[in-house]
Amino acid sequence: MAEGSRKTEREVKMLGDALKDMPVYMRFSLTLRSLYVQHAVGTTEEPAREFRKLRDDTRNDAMVYNQYILPVSTKFVSSIREYFEYYDALNYEEWCEMLPDILQEIKGYKELCDTVLQVHEDVLVLLKKRNDEALLLVTKFKDLEVEFEKRKRELEERAQKNRDWAIFFLSFHT
């Protein structure tokens, strides 16, 4: 029991540390906001529509995570911490007397821990999928950039030829 308790305590500490770092990982919200305001993509090209969908889906997932998953995870870590503090305060006789209750409580926390872990793993899989989609879109945007640069050069060359012809004709009529 003591080894299992230490293992659980270590895992809870790791989860708590991970949750402390969560705000750092959630900073993307400012970047995401800039994708709506400063760097809005407004063309009707297919990659632009895909980008907007990816951006909106990612924002929606972030909102769900922030409003539902993160508070539950934070509360879970707090209750585990309180659990250990409470049972650390018991003397040996009290602890032995409460062992059946402790065991029942541990089973509940294990189930909750498994659920929280599964939710975070699901979110991680979704984020990796979105990352792959974003990398694919970057490639498409690079291809579009090359295509637009080529088209720009063609139009500039055509415009220059038209200017040259206009100057040529104007020089004869004046």
Side-chain angles (χ1 to χ4, degrees):
M1 177 75 181
E3 177 59 33
S5 176
R6 282 192 292 269
K7 181 181 176 194
T8 303
E9 211 170 321
R10 280 193 309 270
E11 289 174 353
V12 167
K13 183 177 178 348
M14 286 173 37
L15 181 59
D17 291 343
L19 288 175
K20 284 180 196 170
D21 293 338
M22 200 59 70
V24 173
Y25 299 120
M26 297 295 288
R27 277 193 202 155
F28 75 93
S29 64
L30 289 176
T31 305
L32 194 58
R33 182 178 180 275
S34 76
L35 294 176
Y36 282 93
V37 180
Q38 298 157 335
H39 306 292
V41 177
T43 69
T44 58
E45 296 291 327
E46 181 62 27
R49 286 195 302 270
E50 290 175 30
F51 172 81
R52 286 191 300 269
K53 181 180 180 340
L54 178 65
R55 175 198 64 190
D56 295 345
D57 290 347
T58 302
R59 180 187 176 277
N60 292 340
D61 292 341
M63 296 294 287
V64 167
Y65 186 89
N66 195 36
Q67 290 177 346
Y68 301 105
I69 299 170
L70 187 59
V72 169
S73 300
T74 304
K75 185 172 182 181
F76 170 70
V77 170
S78 294
S79 37
I80 292 288
R81 187 176 299 122
E82 290 170 10
Y83 166 82
F84 280 111
E85 288 171 359
Y86 174 74
Y87 289 108
D88 277 346
L90 297 177
N91 64 34
Y92 180 74
E93 289 80 27
E94 292 170 327
W95 192 83
C96 287
E97 188 178 299
M98 296 187 71
L99 204 50
D101 294 334
I102 293 171
L103 183 59
Q104 192 62 35
E105 204 167 347
I106 286 173
K107 287 178 183 177
Y109 282 128
K110 183 190 179 314
E111 288 177 17
L112 184 56
C113 183
D114 290 342
T115 302
V116 168
L117 180 62
Q118 186 60 52
V119 168
H120 279 88
E121 287 175 352
D122 292 347
V123 168
L124 187 59
V125 167
L126 182 62
L127 288 175
K128 286 181 180 180
K129 178 182 173 245
R130 294 268 164 75
N131 185 56
D132 292 345
E133 291 174 17
L135 292 175
L136 183 62
L137 277 173
V138 166
T139 303
K140 288 181 180 181
F141 278 127
K142 285 180 182 177
D143 292 345
L144 270 180
E145 181 181 20
V146 168
E147 181 183 324
F148 285 136
E149 285 297 321
K150 179 182 172 189
R151 178 91 168 116
K152 176 184 164 190
R153 281 192 305 277
E154 291 170 354
L155 290 172
E156 286 173 345
E157 288 171 7
R158 199 163 101 203
Q160 185 60 46
K161 286 179 186 175
N162 287 342
R163 277 192 295 275
D164 292 346
W165 278 106
I167 290 171
F168 176 75
F169 283 120
L170 287 175
S171 65
F172 283 115
H173 291 306
T174 54

